[in-house]
């Protein structure tokens, strides 16, 4: 264990030419700054820049986290999708709030978002499902996420059967598929610095709009 500790301490962090964070040009709405940062990550070639950690709250009060893909970002919020019978789907139904975390390591940039989650109607959810790749739709049709699996051959057979159903009926939609929108109550932008002079800007929603301010690193 001591050897691992030394290995971890020896790993470099915040390396390379990091981008500046001009806090003199902050937009009024945090989703605008988020889109700027997301597109900067895309332009920088960051792998899977649209991947985010989604954290929800279980019935036992303990958090659960997993990585999903953000589908869209607008003034309305951050969109993602899930099956209503999955663990996250059940947790969101019982406690419709979540936290999202984005981290673009090559840029040393992190965004943390917290807020309430609203579920779209059947039409919008179906449109999101049909926009997925055939393989992703086949996997979602299984409707068995997080349940015990006896062996990988059983999984593969079920996916092949689901893929066949999609081939026969391209408009088939998983009955439990749901598109969610997180309406942010707070959004924090964190820009790392090699000398640990990190810059943090926090937006908080108020009745009159958004208030923003700096946070200590």
């Amino acid at each position: 264990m001591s050897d691992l500790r030394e290995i971890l301490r020896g790993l470099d962090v915040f390396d390379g030419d990091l981008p500046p964070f001009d806090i003199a040009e902050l937009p009024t709405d945090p989703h605008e700054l988020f889109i700027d940062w997301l597109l900067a990550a895309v332009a920088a070639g960051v792998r899977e820049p649209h991947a985010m950690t989604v954290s929800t709250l279980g019935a036992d009060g303990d958090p659960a986290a997993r990585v999903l893909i953000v589908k869209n970002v607008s003034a309305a919020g951050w969109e993602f999708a899930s099956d209503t019978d999955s663990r996250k789907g059940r947790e969101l139904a019982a406690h419709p709030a979540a936290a999202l975390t984005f981290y673009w390591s090559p840029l040393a940039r992190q965004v943390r978002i917290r807020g309430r989650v609203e579920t779209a109607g059947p039409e919008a959810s179906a449109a999101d499902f049909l926009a997925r790749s055939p393989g992703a739709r086949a996997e979602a049709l299984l409707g068995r996420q997080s349940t015990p699996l006896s062996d990988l051959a059983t999984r593969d057979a079920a996916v092949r059967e689901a893929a066949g159903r999609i081939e026969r009926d391209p408009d088939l939609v998983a009955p439990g598929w749901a598109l969610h929108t997180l309406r942010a109550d707070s959004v924090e932008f964190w820009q790392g610095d090699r000398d640990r002079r990190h810059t943090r800007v926090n937006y908080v929603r108020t009745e009159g709009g958004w208030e923003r301010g700096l946070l200590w690193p």
Side-chain angles (χ1 to χ4, degrees), residues 76 78 80 92 96-97 115-121 178-183:
W78 281 251
F80 63 97
L92 287 172
R116 305 293 293 178
V117 177
E118 300 175 354
T119 302
L179 180 66
H180 305 289
T181 300
L182 184 144
R183 183 178 184 272

Side-chain angles (χ1 to χ4, degrees), residues 2-201:
S2 60
D3 291 340
L4 177 59
R5 184 186 299 276
E6 293 305 314
I7 290 172
L8 296 179
R9 284 188 177 276
L11 295 177
D12 206 0
V13 293
F14 311 132
D15 196 13
D17 186 16
L18 302 180
F21 185 11
D22 186 1
I23 62 171
E25 299 288 336
L26 293 173
T28 301
D29 194 309
H31 91 275
E32 297 177 17
L33 179 56
F34 177 86
I35 292 174
D36 287 344
W37 276 28
L38 176 59
L39 294 179
V42 173
V46 176
R47 184 175 179 178
E48 298 174 354
H50 52 343
M52 61 183 178
T53 300
V54 180
S55 302
T56 53
L57 191 64
D60 55 4
D62 290 338
R66 74 288 291 167
V67 177
L68 297 179
I69 297 299
V70 67
K71 301 298 187 76
N72 191 31
V73 181
S74 68
W78 281 251
E79 295 181 7
F80 63 97
S82 71
D83 192 295
T84 54
D85 288 330
S86 67
R87 175 174 178 174
K88 58 184 169 295
R90 296 192 303 271
E91 290 178 345
L92 287 172
H95 187 78
L100 312 178
T101 308
F102 291 82
Y103 182 54
W104 301 300
S105 176
L107 305 179
R109 282 180 166 176
Q110 179 180 187
V111 182
R112 302 168 61 204
I113 307 154
R114 299 175 67 240
R116 305 293 293 178
V117 177
E118 300 175 354
T119 302
E123 184 175 344
S125 295
D128 177 81
F129 184 84
L130 294 174
R132 290 165 62 87
S133 68
R137 279 181 280 157
E139 184 274 333
L141 275 177
L142 301 180
R144 303 175 187 175
Q145 191 177 84
S146 300
T147 60
L149 173 67
S150 59
D151 56 73
L152 297 183
T154 300
R155 175 205 63 189
D156 294 344
V159 171
R160 285 195 299 270
E161 191 277 333
R165 292 176 61 194
I166 290 173
E167 188 174 351
R168 294 188 297 272
D169 183 3
D171 294 327
L172 185 62
V173 175
W177 194 253
L179 180 66
H180 305 289
T181 300
L182 184 144
R183 183 178 184 272
D185 293 321
S186 65
V187 184
E188 180 192 324
F189 296 86
W190 182 95
Q191 173 65 66
D193 178 80
R194 188 171 182 82
D195 295 324
R196 303 308 195 271
R197 293 175 301 182
H198 311 313
T199 301
R200 297 173 64 187
V201 172

